[in-house]
Amino acid sequence: MLGIVKEALKVDGSEEDLSLTLLINAAKEYLSNAGVPAQEEGKDSALYQLAVIKYALLNYENYDKSLNVEALKLSLQTDILQMKDYGGAKSG
């Protein structure tokens, strides 16, 4: 996941790996607190990965200032609603 987030944030090198790992863990905790079931390590769905990236973009101190923050927040909330476990049976 670290590599994916670094690519999305356009971060080269390993100087910020510790901070980015903290952001990734915070994103996973945020999603869990929002009712999104935890993903098995290394088997994260594409939507889950995108949600982690969006969380990182919103909380990374050196983010691209041209980002549409409000649209990104709305997009993250939409992802959460799609992944959230509402306690019902899943259809398939």
Side-chain angles (χ1 to χ4, degrees):
M1 182 74 76
L2 179 60
I4 293 169
V5 169
K6 286 173 74 169
E7 183 177 325
L9 296 176
K10 297 176 177 59
V11 172
D12 294 325
S14 59
E15 308 84 38
E16 298 190 57
D17 283 3
L18 186 60
S19 296
L20 293 177
T21 299
L22 181 62
L23 264 179
I24 291 166
N25 290 336
K28 291 178 178 183
E29 187 174 329
Y30 178 86
L31 292 170
S32 177
N33 290 343
V36 176
Q39 303 279 301
E40 188 176 333
E41 191 67 34
K43 295 185 179 181
D44 304 322
S45 72
L47 189 58
Y48 190 87
Q49 290 178 36
L50 282 173
V52 170
I53 289 168
K54 290 172 189 175
Y55 180 93
L57 283 167
L58 287 167
N59 292 283
Y60 181 58
E61 64 181 6
N62 298 320
Y63 75 94
D64 180 355
K65 303 302 185 220
S66 69
L67 289 175
N68 183 336
V69 173
E70 291 307 313
L72 197 56
K73 286 179 181 179
L74 181 60
S75 180
L76 177 57
Q77 291 305 312
T78 300
D79 292 347
I80 288 170
L81 290 173
Q82 288 190 16
M83 293 184 293
K84 189 171 179 175
D85 182 1
Y86 291 96
K90 297 196 182 241
S91 59

